[in-house]
Amino acid sequence: MLRFAIQSKGRLNEESLKLLKDSGINVDDSRRKFLGQASDYPIELLYLRDDDIPEVVADGSADMGIVGFNEIAESMADVEIVRKLGFGKCRISLAVPKSVDYNGLEWFDGKSIATSYPSILEDFLSKNGISARIRKIMGSVEIAPAAGIADAIFDIVSSGGTLVSNGLKEVEKVLDSEAVLICRKDLPKDRLEIRESLLFRFDAVQESRGKKYVLMNIPTDKVSEAMFLLPSMRSPTVMPLALEGWSSLHSVVDDSSLWQTVEALKRIGAEGILILNVDKVID
Ligand code: ATP
Ligand code: MG
């Protein structure tokens, strides 16, 4: 049995559960439970506040977990970062009231900065030779300047909308973050096999994200031109149709280039184009 920690509620909860579910691990997600058991896989889920996950994995109370990289950087917990997971993307930045005529990091000298990430901030300021007062606040950091609690803030930013609505502007990005899969350093040998199986499944799910399976009919004399347009995993599958002079072409295409590719294929004579979701990719 492997114990796996995820956020009990909040921004990473849903995507963490989705990754497990897409990996065929059915977990009881009635969030009130502290400990949940998968019905068909040797894993039990520990639902925690995100701040507690790095330490709980570092001390072996949980074997693996999913948490924002920012929480690892802040806690400096001694864990192995196994994979970046591609969701929960954000950055931690310094922001000041928008009326400030900001001219560089020296502006922060002698100022007070509110944050829930004092260690990351302290490290950044000392590396840059800035001496500022750090005020640790655990929530609603963005209201600190307007409330007269601090001159500036150091907080999580994604779109920047929260900053703007609080009359602030981002002036320095300090750290990029996303959800990461972590593992305790001394994972007992009897759980290594479960870890490998989990990674195999997570990788297959992640590989499939942002990919589409495209099928089309195309005049056989256009096949080589079409193959040039299709960046497939190895090489596209080409099969003759019963109709003389036509072929069926199958390939995997990234979402990012999907429409461009399909339009180009249509221009050279492709017909009956089908675009399907890819559920898993096993390399
Ligand atoms: P908890 O109750 O578990 O302590 P929290 O309020 O501290 O939750 P959340 O706001 O749920 O934390 O954010 C969890 C993590 O999600 C953050 O540590 C960060 O890695 C990521 N995150 C936070 N804000 C954003 C955002 N706006 N966009 C994307 N990811 C974010
Ligand atoms: Mg938290």
Side-chain angles (χ1 to χ4, degrees):
M1 185 70 70
L2 183 142
R3 190 179 276 189
F4 196 95
I6 63 165
Q7 196 189 18
S8 55
K9 56 183 169 52
R11 289 176 184 274
L12 301 182
N13 169 271
E14 216 170 285
E15 288 268 24
S16 304
L17 282 170
K18 185 169 185 316
L19 178 58
L20 289 163
K21 282 205 174 124
D22 290 348
S23 303
I25 299 163
N26 293 310
V27 288
D28 175 5
D29 57 356
S30 59
R31 287 161 201 178
R32 277 147 281 162
K33 269 201 182 159
F34 177 60
L35 203 57
Q37 171 84 51
S39 53
D40 48 3
Y41 198 79
I43 191 173
E44 61 184 356
L45 279 202
L46 190 57
Y47 295 95
L48 296 173
R49 290 207 52 176
D50 68 343
D51 324 51
D52 296 329
I53 293 175
E55 283 307 327
V56 161
V57 172
D59 76 15
S61 307
D63 298 305
M64 298 182 83
I66 296 176
V67 71
F69 175 69
N70 51 305
E71 294 296 334
I72 306 289
E74 178 61 23
S75 62
M76 289 181 264
D78 189 20
V79 295
E80 179 196 353
I81 296 177
V82 186
R83 293 282 190 279
K84 292 182 178 179
L85 296 174
F87 58 88
K89 287 194 177 168
C90 57
R91 55 194 187 274
I92 311 195
S93 293
L94 283 160
V96 302
K98 66 171 187 292
S99 56
V100 166
D101 184 17
Y102 183 77
N103 51 5
L105 270 182
E106 305 75 51
W107 182 86
F108 289 98
D109 247 325
K111 299 284 198 310
S112 61
I113 309 171
T115 187
S116 308
Y117 298 96
S119 310
I120 300 172
L121 180 57
E122 199 179 327
D123 186 51
F124 175 77
L125 293 176
S126 78
K127 275 188 187 134
N128 286 282
I130 305 290
S131 121
R133 193 152 72 92
I134 299 176
R135 302 207 58 170
K136 184 174 176 182
I137 298 185
M138 287 321 285
S140 307
V141 171
E142 65 283 355
I143 63 154
I149 295 169
D151 299 308
I153 67 165
F154 177 61
D155 202 11
I156 289 181
V157 183
S158 58
S159 66
T162 311
L163 291 184
V164 171
S165 59
N166 284 281
L168 301 168
K169 62 180 177 187
E170 181 178 7
V171 291
E172 305 281 347
K173 182 184 86 175
V174 173
L175 186 82
D176 279 310
S177 181
E178 68 183 87
V180 288
L181 175 68
I182 57 172
C183 186
R184 64 191 271 198
K185 288 234 164 123
D186 54 350
L187 184 70
K189 288 207 167 52
D190 63 341
R191 277 159 249 182
L192 283 173
E193 209 176 305
I194 308 174
R195 172 187 149 128
E196 283 316 301
S197 150
L198 265 183
L199 287 182
F200 176 71
R201 293 182 182 205
F202 285 0
D203 287 347
V205 172
Q206 273 197 287
E207 235 347 85
S208 74
R209 294 212 167 136
K211 288 202 167 69
K212 292 283 186 283
Y213 192 75
V214 181
L215 305 83
M216 76 212 73
N217 296 331
I218 190 151
T220 303
D221 61 358
K222 295 286 181 189
V223 165
S224 29
E225 211 175 321
M227 281 173 62
F228 181 73
L229 294 170
L230 278 168
S232 80
M233 297 178 75
R234 200 152 281 167
S235 93
T237 308
V238 185
M239 284 177 290
L241 289 186
L243 184 65
E244 185 78 25
W246 282 78
S247 295
S248 168
L249 191 61
H250 300 199
S251 191
V252 175
V253 177
D254 267 350
D255 263 341
S256 55
S257 59
L258 181 70
W259 287 109
Q260 227 178 335
T261 308
V262 166
E263 281 160 4
L265 288 164
K266 190 135 184 41
R267 252 179 266 128
I268 64 165
E271 287 179 6
I273 303 173
L274 293 182
I275 301 170
L276 310 176
N277 285 326
V278 176
D279 204 36
K280 310 278 185 295
V281 176
I282 319 261
D283 273 332

PDB file of all heavy atoms in Angstrom, residues 93-111:
ATOM      1  N   SER A  93       5.468  36.745  -7.650  1.00  0.00           N
ATOM      2  CA  SER A  93       6.037  38.024  -8.084  1.00  0.00           C
ATOM      3  C   SER A  93       5.916  39.086  -7.013  1.00  0.00           C
ATOM      4  O   SER A  93       5.069  38.992  -6.116  1.00  0.00           O
ATOM      5  CB  SER A  93       5.283  38.528  -9.324  1.00  0.00           C
ATOM      6  OG  SER A  93       5.511  37.682 -10.422  1.00  0.00           O
ATOM      7  N   LEU A  94       6.758  40.096  -7.164  1.00  0.00           N
ATOM      8  CA  LEU A  94       6.628  41.302  -6.341  1.00  0.00           C
ATOM      9  C   LEU A  94       5.686  42.253  -7.059  1.00  0.00           C
ATOM     10  O   LEU A  94       5.754  42.413  -8.288  1.00  0.00           O
ATOM     11  CB  LEU A  94       7.999  41.965  -6.177  1.00  0.00           C
ATOM     12  CG  LEU A  94       8.939  41.297  -5.158  1.00  0.00           C
ATOM     13  CD1 LEU A  94      10.386  41.699  -5.416  1.00  0.00           C
ATOM     14  CD2 LEU A  94       8.525  41.636  -3.721  1.00  0.00           C
ATOM     15  N   ALA A  95       4.780  42.873  -6.291  1.00  0.00           N
ATOM     16  CA  ALA A  95       3.857  43.840  -6.877  1.00  0.00           C
ATOM     17  C   ALA A  95       3.771  45.058  -5.965  1.00  0.00           C
ATOM     18  O   ALA A  95       3.892  44.945  -4.743  1.00  0.00           O
ATOM     19  CB  ALA A  95       2.479  43.214  -7.052  1.00  0.00           C
ATOM     20  N   VAL A  96       3.573  46.191  -6.598  1.00  0.00           N
ATOM     21  CA  VAL A  96       3.532  47.469  -5.851  1.00  0.00           C
ATOM     22  C   VAL A  96       2.261  48.228  -6.267  1.00  0.00           C
ATOM     23  O   VAL A  96       1.680  47.932  -7.318  1.00  0.00           O
ATOM     24  CB  VAL A  96       4.785  48.338  -6.155  1.00  0.00           C
ATOM     25  CG1 VAL A  96       6.073  47.596  -5.799  1.00  0.00           C
ATOM     26  CG2 VAL A  96       4.822  48.768  -7.624  1.00  0.00           C
ATOM     27  N   PRO A  97       1.825  49.212  -5.465  1.00  0.00           N
ATOM     28  CA  PRO A  97       0.665  50.016  -5.878  1.00  0.00           C
ATOM     29  C   PRO A  97       0.919  50.631  -7.251  1.00  0.00           C
ATOM     30  O   PRO A  97       2.055  51.023  -7.566  1.00  0.00           O
ATOM     31  CB  PRO A  97       0.584  51.092  -4.795  1.00  0.00           C
ATOM     32  CG  PRO A  97       1.185  50.441  -3.589  1.00  0.00           C
ATOM     33  CD  PRO A  97       2.310  49.583  -4.121  1.00  0.00           C
ATOM     34  N   LYS A  98      -0.138  50.699  -8.087  1.00  0.00           N
ATOM     35  CA  LYS A  98       0.108  51.096  -9.486  1.00  0.00           C
ATOM     36  C   LYS A  98       0.572  52.545  -9.609  1.00  0.00           C
ATOM     37  O   LYS A  98       1.168  52.926 -10.610  1.00  0.00           O
ATOM     38  CB  LYS A  98      -1.087  50.776 -10.381  1.00  0.00           C
ATOM     39  CG  LYS A  98      -2.357  51.535 -10.139  1.00  0.00           C
ATOM     40  CD  LYS A  98      -3.314  51.208 -11.300  1.00  0.00           C
ATOM     41  CE  LYS A  98      -4.577  52.033 -11.262  1.00  0.00           C
ATOM     42  NZ  LYS A  98      -5.456  51.709 -10.120  1.00  0.00           N
ATOM     43  N   SER A  99       0.345  53.364  -8.570  1.00  0.00           N
ATOM     44  CA  SER A  99       0.799  54.764  -8.614  1.00  0.00           C
ATOM     45  C   SER A  99       2.314  54.900  -8.419  1.00  0.00           C
ATOM     46  O   SER A  99       2.896  55.960  -8.692  1.00  0.00           O
ATOM     47  CB  SER A  99       0.084  55.555  -7.522  1.00  0.00           C
ATOM     48  OG  SER A  99       0.335  54.928  -6.275  1.00  0.00           O
ATOM     49  N   VAL A 100       2.963  53.822  -7.959  1.00  0.00           N
ATOM     50  CA  VAL A 100       4.406  53.901  -7.683  1.00  0.00           C
ATOM     51  C   VAL A 100       5.193  54.080  -8.984  1.00  0.00           C
ATOM     52  O   VAL A 100       4.933  53.394  -9.973  1.00  0.00           O
ATOM     53  CB  VAL A 100       4.885  52.613  -6.948  1.00  0.00           C
ATOM     54  CG1 VAL A 100       6.408  52.509  -6.967  1.00  0.00           C
ATOM     55  CG2 VAL A 100       4.349  52.577  -5.535  1.00  0.00           C
ATOM     56  N   ASP A 101       6.153  54.994  -8.949  1.00  0.00           N
ATOM     57  CA  ASP A 101       7.038  55.187 -10.093  1.00  0.00           C
ATOM     58  C   ASP A 101       8.220  54.222  -9.894  1.00  0.00           C
ATOM     59  O   ASP A 101       9.253  54.612  -9.353  1.00  0.00           O
ATOM     60  CB  ASP A 101       7.494  56.666 -10.108  1.00  0.00           C
ATOM     61  CG  ASP A 101       8.337  56.953 -11.321  1.00  0.00           C
ATOM     62  OD1 ASP A 101       8.305  56.158 -12.287  1.00  0.00           O
ATOM     63  OD2 ASP A 101       9.057  57.982 -11.294  1.00  0.00           O
ATOM     64  N   TYR A 102       8.012  52.978 -10.303  1.00  0.00           N
ATOM     65  CA  TYR A 102       8.984  51.919  -9.992  1.00  0.00           C
ATOM     66  C   TYR A 102      10.198  51.992 -10.917  1.00  0.00           C
ATOM     67  O   TYR A 102      10.067  52.032 -12.125  1.00  0.00           O
ATOM     68  CB  TYR A 102       8.299  50.552 -10.143  1.00  0.00           C
ATOM     69  CG  TYR A 102       9.190  49.404  -9.770  1.00  0.00           C
ATOM     70  CD1 TYR A 102       9.437  49.083  -8.441  1.00  0.00           C
ATOM     71  CD2 TYR A 102       9.815  48.634 -10.756  1.00  0.00           C
ATOM     72  CE1 TYR A 102      10.262  48.025  -8.089  1.00  0.00           C
ATOM     73  CE2 TYR A 102      10.642  47.574 -10.419  1.00  0.00           C
ATOM     74  CZ  TYR A 102      10.856  47.283  -9.082  1.00  0.00           C
ATOM     75  OH  TYR A 102      11.682  46.238  -8.747  1.00  0.00           O
ATOM     76  N   ASN A 103      11.391  52.004 -10.308  1.00  0.00           N
ATOM     77  CA  ASN A 103      12.587  52.166 -11.142  1.00  0.00           C
ATOM     78  C   ASN A 103      13.626  51.071 -10.914  1.00  0.00           C
ATOM     79  O   ASN A 103      14.789  51.235 -11.225  1.00  0.00           O
ATOM     80  CB  ASN A 103      13.206  53.548 -10.875  1.00  0.00           C
ATOM     81  CG  ASN A 103      13.383  53.759  -9.384  1.00  0.00           C
ATOM     82  OD1 ASN A 103      13.122  52.837  -8.595  1.00  0.00           O
ATOM     83  ND2 ASN A 103      13.845  54.933  -8.983  1.00  0.00           N
ATOM     84  N   GLY A 104      13.219  49.981 -10.306  1.00  0.00           N
ATOM     85  CA  GLY A 104      14.175  48.885 -10.090  1.00  0.00           C
ATOM     86  C   GLY A 104      14.081  48.377  -8.653  1.00  0.00           C
ATOM     87  O   GLY A 104      13.454  48.998  -7.799  1.00  0.00           O
ATOM     88  N   LEU A 105      14.789  47.243  -8.437  1.00  0.00           N
ATOM     89  CA  LEU A 105      14.695  46.556  -7.137  1.00  0.00           C
ATOM     90  C   LEU A 105      15.021  47.432  -5.933  1.00  0.00           C
ATOM     91  O   LEU A 105      14.509  47.203  -4.837  1.00  0.00           O
ATOM     92  CB  LEU A 105      15.653  45.361  -7.146  1.00  0.00           C
ATOM     93  CG  LEU A 105      15.101  44.025  -7.642  1.00  0.00           C
ATOM     94  CD1 LEU A 105      16.178  42.960  -7.540  1.00  0.00           C
ATOM     95  CD2 LEU A 105      13.863  43.624  -6.830  1.00  0.00           C
ATOM     96  N   GLU A 106      15.895  48.442  -6.151  1.00  0.00           N
ATOM     97  CA  GLU A 106      16.291  49.308  -5.017  1.00  0.00           C
ATOM     98  C   GLU A 106      15.075  49.973  -4.384  1.00  0.00           C
ATOM     99  O   GLU A 106      15.129  50.389  -3.230  1.00  0.00           O
ATOM    100  CB  GLU A 106      17.269  50.416  -5.457  1.00  0.00           C
ATOM    101  CG  GLU A 106      18.527  49.941  -6.155  1.00  0.00           C
ATOM    102  CD  GLU A 106      18.245  49.496  -7.587  1.00  0.00           C
ATOM    103  OE1 GLU A 106      17.616  50.268  -8.329  1.00  0.00           O
ATOM    104  OE2 GLU A 106      18.631  48.362  -7.944  1.00  0.00           O
ATOM    105  N   TRP A 107      13.988  50.083  -5.143  1.00  0.00           N
ATOM    106  CA  TRP A 107      12.769  50.700  -4.599  1.00  0.00           C
ATOM    107  C   TRP A 107      12.353  50.012  -3.299  1.00  0.00           C
ATOM    108  O   TRP A 107      11.825  50.630  -2.385  1.00  0.00           O
ATOM    109  CB  TRP A 107      11.621  50.606  -5.618  1.00  0.00           C
ATOM    110  CG  TRP A 107      10.366  51.277  -5.128  1.00  0.00           C
ATOM    111  CD1 TRP A 107      10.033  52.593  -5.246  1.00  0.00           C
ATOM    112  CD2 TRP A 107       9.279  50.663  -4.400  1.00  0.00           C
ATOM    113  NE1 TRP A 107       8.816  52.841  -4.634  1.00  0.00           N
ATOM    114  CE2 TRP A 107       8.331  51.670  -4.115  1.00  0.00           C
ATOM    115  CE3 TRP A 107       9.024  49.363  -3.965  1.00  0.00           C
ATOM    116  CZ2 TRP A 107       7.147  51.426  -3.410  1.00  0.00           C
ATOM    117  CZ3 TRP A 107       7.845  49.112  -3.270  1.00  0.00           C
ATOM    118  CH2 TRP A 107       6.928  50.136  -2.996  1.00  0.00           C
ATOM    119  N   PHE A 108      12.628  48.674  -3.224  1.00  0.00           N
ATOM    120  CA  PHE A 108      12.174  47.900  -2.065  1.00  0.00           C
ATOM    121  C   PHE A 108      13.023  48.134  -0.814  1.00  0.00           C
ATOM    122  O   PHE A 108      12.635  47.738   0.275  1.00  0.00           O
ATOM    123  CB  PHE A 108      12.144  46.402  -2.401  1.00  0.00           C
ATOM    124  CG  PHE A 108      11.027  46.045  -3.356  1.00  0.00           C
ATOM    125  CD1 PHE A 108      11.270  45.914  -4.716  1.00  0.00           C
ATOM    126  CD2 PHE A 108       9.730  45.871  -2.887  1.00  0.00           C
ATOM    127  CE1 PHE A 108      10.232  45.600  -5.583  1.00  0.00           C
ATOM    128  CE2 PHE A 108       8.694  45.558  -3.755  1.00  0.00           C
ATOM    129  CZ  PHE A 108       8.946  45.429  -5.112  1.00  0.00           C
ATOM    130  N   ASP A 109      14.188  48.763  -0.961  1.00  0.00           N
ATOM    131  CA  ASP A 109      15.053  49.011   0.199  1.00  0.00           C
ATOM    132  C   ASP A 109      14.305  49.810   1.255  1.00  0.00           C
ATOM    133  O   ASP A 109      13.762  50.879   0.964  1.00  0.00           O
ATOM    134  CB  ASP A 109      16.311  49.778  -0.250  1.00  0.00           C
ATOM    135  CG  ASP A 109      17.546  48.913  -0.091  1.00  0.00           C
ATOM    136  OD1 ASP A 109      17.589  48.127   0.880  1.00  0.00           O
ATOM    137  OD2 ASP A 109      18.440  49.011  -0.950  1.00  0.00           O
ATOM    138  N   GLY A 110      14.245  49.246   2.459  1.00  0.00           N
ATOM    139  CA  GLY A 110      13.591  49.942   3.571  1.00  0.00           C
ATOM    140  C   GLY A 110      12.073  49.853   3.573  1.00  0.00           C
ATOM    141  O   GLY A 110      11.408  50.398   4.464  1.00  0.00           O
ATOM    142  N   LYS A 111      11.506  49.155   2.568  1.00  0.00           N
ATOM    143  CA  LYS A 111      10.045  49.037   2.509  1.00  0.00           C
ATOM    144  C   LYS A 111       9.584  47.769   3.242  1.00  0.00           C
ATOM    145  O   LYS A 111      10.389  46.896   3.591  1.00  0.00           O
ATOM    146  CB  LYS A 111       9.598  48.946   1.036  1.00  0.00           C
ATOM    147  CG  LYS A 111       9.959  50.168   0.190  1.00  0.00           C
ATOM    148  CD  LYS A 111       9.042  51.323   0.483  1.00  0.00           C
ATOM    149  CE  LYS A 111       9.046  52.406  -0.588  1.00  0.00           C
ATOM    150  NZ  LYS A 111      10.336  52.913  -1.011  1.00  0.00           N
TER     151      LYS A 111
END
